[in-house]
Amino acid sequence: MPHGDDEYASALTAAAGHATAWLQSLKDRDVGPRLPAHDLTGPFGGPLPASGMPAADVVDLLAHTAEPGLMAMPSGRFFGWVIGGTLPAALAADWLVSAWDQNAGLRYATPAMAAIEESAGAWLLELLGLPEAADVGFVTGATMANFTGMAAGRWRLLTDAGWDLDRDGLSGAPRIRCFVGRERHDTVDLGLRYLGLGRPVVVDADDQGRLIPEALEAALAEGTGPALVCLQAGNLHSGAFDPFPEAIRVARKHGAWVHIDGAFGLWAAAAPELSHLTRGYEDADSWGTDAHKTLNVPYDCGIAIVRDASALRSAMGLHASYLVHDAEGPGDPFEKVPELSRRARGVPVWAALKSLGRDGLAGQVRGLAAAAAQIAAGLADLDGVEVLNDVGYTQVSVAFGDDATTRAVTARIIEDGKVWMSGSRWRDRDILRVSVSNWRTSRQEVETAVAAVGTALAAVRGG
Ligand SMILES: Cc1ncc(COP(=O)(O)O)c(C=O)c1O
């Protein structure tokens, strides 16, 4: 049993101490975890205790026991997948969200959360150059953001085809033809699966993974009826962006709904030097992105943006007698996302944007791309390294001759622990992928990254 308000204070003070120690350790610690999960299930497991433990002791035990199993994902030397980092203001705001414990679904019940998220949404639309009247919903990640945007698309397409989706469901509905580029993220297919839309038609892409508009035109022309096209802002391997003006023009010709998956790429629009990458993307119908990636708020936070607010609210909204619906304002937050109950994920977004400002966000995104370019240049100078992509954003894909050598170098880098980078397969080759998505990656981390790859390559070559 908790022992009153003092227990909050002691538990939170303990948590703040452990969190600060963790963040301070990021500068020097090896990036990878020291213990695998199966070595940690014992210490965390055992028989379910019959009686409890004071909260601060639970926090101490948790922090000490978890520490060897933590990956230093918020370190500036972490370059795996596309993860992001945590800005100080966003992290602290996230703690407040937990302490406030607001169920952010209803505008009337949690007015501060609604007001903060509405401001964050308006700022985002301005920063990203998206339609002022679009709806913004805060979800868990880009998978759900894409799902949400495409759900609005499904509703609109079927309604325009004279089908009542809410009443009759999908059975017997006109088929929606879905089109994706060859190198879309796999979670787009997952979203389509959740929506009951089946496997998409795969459209050919160029050597950087950009969808080819002529191929989209040919694929769309093969049939008729409702169509949904999902484009990509930011390819996982190359960082490339689909050619939006051309692809959207083709999609429009066939009356398609256009969704853009910009999990980490949408943020390019916020940096004037990079906004050419997203040129024309504002003409789409819906967009999905992650705040936990390029913006650097703590996990988890994705953002769904939909131009046609009535389609989104029809797809996601509900009316229940026990809820107190917003009567005068812009509607309830729950109408824009799949969940009724949820934490106020938009609050850390607001805090991140408030702490960065327009110039700070532009500088952050520009800095990530600049660090990627520096890493690519440093790696290209090493003998035996091939940089495989045109590095124009935050992603660098490299190979070291044959697949076996690339795999061995990747394993060696991870084993050495100075930096963490993930392996992948692209263009029929094993590759090492360097993904820059953390505000803490500075010149020093760039140099460490290049040196770590050089050392691993030399070790592999030396046998
Ligand atoms: C391009 C792209 N789309 C979608 C996703 C899925 O995002 P999330 O894992 O936040 O759901 C990712 C994740 O890396 C991504 O890079």
Side-chain angles (χ1 to χ4, degrees):
M1 281 288 287
H3 304 291
D5 287 348
D6 284 353
E7 196 160 5
Y8 282 120
S10 58
L12 289 173
T13 304
H18 291 298
T20 308
W22 160 250
L23 293 167
Q24 283 169 349
S25 79
L26 296 174
K27 190 127 190 65
D28 303 309
R29 69 183 291 139
D30 279 358
V31 182
R34 295 195 301 283
L35 290 181
H38 66 78
D39 286 349
L40 290 159
T41 48
F44 280 116
L48 175 68
S51 53
M53 183 188 248
D57 294 351
V58 173
V59 171
D60 286 341
L61 178 67
L62 184 64
H64 287 305
T65 315
E67 201 276 340
L70 295 177
M71 169 81 91
M73 283 186 171
S75 155
R77 290 173 289 117
F78 183 86
F79 301 99
W81 303 290
V82 185
I83 295 295
T86 45
L87 288 165
L91 173 57
D94 201 55
W95 286 7
L96 280 180
V97 169
S98 292
W100 289 334
D101 194 23
Q102 307 281 289
N103 180 340
L106 292 174
R107 196 166 192 269
Y108 159 83
T110 53
M113 302 303 100
I116 294 167
E117 291 195 339
E118 284 162 19
S119 288
W123 286 349
L124 283 167
L125 294 175
E126 188 184 330
L127 285 164
L128 300 177
L130 294 177
E132 207 181 320
D135 251 352
V136 180
F138 294 96
V139 294
T140 50
T143 304
M144 288 313 291
N146 292 333
F147 165 84
T148 303
M150 295 190 298
R154 181 184 67 170
W155 189 90
R156 171 55 65 207
L157 289 168
L158 290 180
T159 301
D160 288 354
W163 184 262
D164 189 334
L165 179 65
D166 301 343
R167 191 189 61 204
D168 299 327
L170 268 187
S171 303
R175 180 162 177 77
I176 297 179
R177 301 177 304 140
C178 301
F179 300 84
V180 297
R182 195 182 64 219
E183 296 202 12
R184 81 288 184 190
H185 197 269
D186 295 296
T187 55
V188 168
D189 297 40
L190 197 61
L192 293 172
R193 217 164 87 202
Y194 294 162
L195 289 165
L197 295 180
R199 211 166 270 159
V201 175
V202 176
V203 176
D204 206 7
D206 67 14
D207 68 342
Q208 298 299 307
R210 284 179 292 244
L211 170 141
I212 299 171
E214 294 74 19
L216 177 64
E217 167 78 77
L220 277 160
E222 271 182 27
T224 53
L228 188 156
V229 172
C230 183
L231 303 175
Q232 178 169 254
N235 177 294
L236 209 54
H237 293 112
S238 66
F241 292 63
D242 284 344
F244 299 119
E246 298 78 7
I248 294 175
R249 200 173 311 125
V250 167
R252 289 277 176 256
K253 204 173 118 193
H254 293 268
W257 177 282
V258 181
H259 176 79
I260 297 180
D261 169 18
F264 61 97
L266 231 56
W267 303 94
E273 302 81 353
L274 296 167
S275 59
H276 61 279
L277 296 169
T278 56
R279 190 175 60 85
Y281 88 144
E282 65 280 1
D283 290 331
D285 297 293
S286 55
W287 303 260
T289 190
D290 268 325
H292 57 220
K293 290 188 168 60
T294 316
L295 182 59
N296 282 208
V297 307
Y299 273 75
D300 49 32
C301 185
I303 303 167
I305 303 170
V306 180
R307 178 194 297 278
D308 180 345
S310 73
L312 177 62
R313 287 161 195 240
S314 300
M316 296 292 153
L318 87 137
H319 277 272
S321 57
Y322 74 99
L323 300 174
V324 184
H325 292 283
D326 179 56
E328 285 144 25
D332 285 310
F334 78 80
E335 295 177 301
K336 303 185 277 185
V337 296
E339 304 91 351
L340 176 60
S341 297
R342 65 175 178 88
R343 71 190 275 103
R345 292 196 182 83
V347 173
V349 171
W350 179 91
L353 296 177
K354 188 81 177 166
S355 76
L356 288 171
R358 183 196 306 277
D359 295 346
L361 177 60
Q364 180 167 306
V365 180
R366 191 189 313 125
L368 302 178
Q374 287 157 9
I375 290 174
L379 294 181
D381 278 348
L382 298 176
D383 187 31
V385 179
E386 277 176 89
V387 176
L388 298 176
N389 65 313
D390 301 338
V391 182
Y393 193 47
T394 56
Q395 308 301 104
V396 186
S397 285
V398 296
F400 307 90
D402 59 83
D403 285 355
T405 307
T406 300
R407 282 200 301 274
V409 174
T410 305
R412 185 68 194 227
I413 290 168
I414 290 173
E415 198 183 307
D416 288 349
K418 287 275 172 294
V419 298
W420 211 98
M421 298 166 175
S422 25
S424 186
R425 210 168 156 77
W426 190 49
R427 303 202 324 212
D428 288 328
R429 294 181 76 175
D430 280 334
I431 60 157
L432 172 73
R433 222 162 46 88
V434 187
S435 187
V436 186
S437 63
N438 191 321
W439 70 275
R440 295 170 76 122
T441 300
S442 67
R443 186 87 218 178
Q444 194 184 334
E445 283 77 16
V446 165
E447 282 165 14
T448 306
V450 174
V453 174
T455 305
L457 181 57
V460 168
R461 282 210 183 118

